[in-house]
Amino acid sequence: MYKADLHLHTKVSDGSEDIEAILTMAKDMGITHLSITNHDTTQRTEEYIEKAKKQGIRAIPGVEMSAYDAEHGVRAHILGYCYQTTEHIEAIGRETLRSRTENGYKYIEVLNEIGYHVDREAVEKLTTSAMYKQHILAYLMKTGQTDEIFGDVYYKEFKNGGPCSFDVDYPDAVACVKAICADGGIPVLAHPGQQDNFYLLPKLVEAGLKGIEYNHPSHNEEHRKKVSEAAEKYGLIMTGGSDFHGLYEKTKTVLGAYPAHESSKVLFENEC
């Protein structure tokens, strides 16, 4: 049996659950294969692989690199699997995480200026690799300044041109693909339907892209059709996953609800 979720996030980045909770849920959902793909960091990879093995689940190294196409002003997320080393991934990821945390401190400064009360040290205690807006919103909810993480404050202050609608300067998508390749990994374009970046495929494939995400909460039938056509055209494997973040995600997806395409089995053919 092959039921794989190859797109999961934990507290190491912007997920609300720890590794143990993720693996317990995965076991309960009948997931047989998985990869935890925290943003821009490979922290605790060996740990979750070993703990998954004890649960009878096959796991492989994973990461999701936040990237950007400056020419068109479009975001792109690059998943990386089965990396053998982490030097190149971490070199880019560390800078992204540093920038993200600096951004978080700016969010706190702005929110305090406009009437909220955000304790910087209290928010820091919620973080692991970097400070995300979800950590700040979780603090605001905990202190009764908003009713829910993705509620009125989120849409008023962080979206729609609000005072905290500024974002991080992300690395180039091609550079992220090359970094994953340099570390012996397999780069995959994440949820291209969500970010409308299918046009990037030719140059990403030239840089070493080996896969494309098929199943994802944001993908409809049209998106999956485009993914299938792109996979055939460029000889890409197709992956998939829930993009689970727990409480820190608006869609509240369930582990295993968007299983990876059968062609992704190749990722597990060799120990990595």
Side-chain angles (χ1 to χ4, degrees), residues 14-51:
D14 58 345
S16 65
E17 307 301 321
D18 59 22
I19 291 170
E20 290 77 8
I22 292 286
L23 293 175
T24 297
M25 284 186 274
K27 186 72 172 178
D28 291 344
M29 295 303 296
I31 293 171
T32 60
H33 298 70
L34 64 73
S35 184
I36 292 177
T37 54
N38 286 313
H39 287 288
D40 308 302
T41 181
T42 61
Q43 289 180 34
R44 300 180 69 183
T45 295
E46 292 181 3
E47 179 185 346
Y48 82 71
I49 290 174
E50 284 302 312
K51 289 183 175 179

Side-chain angles (χ1 to χ4, degrees), residues 161-176:
C164 290
S165 61
F166 51 88
D167 208 347
V168 177
D169 290 330
Y170 294 110
D172 180 68
V174 168
C176 289

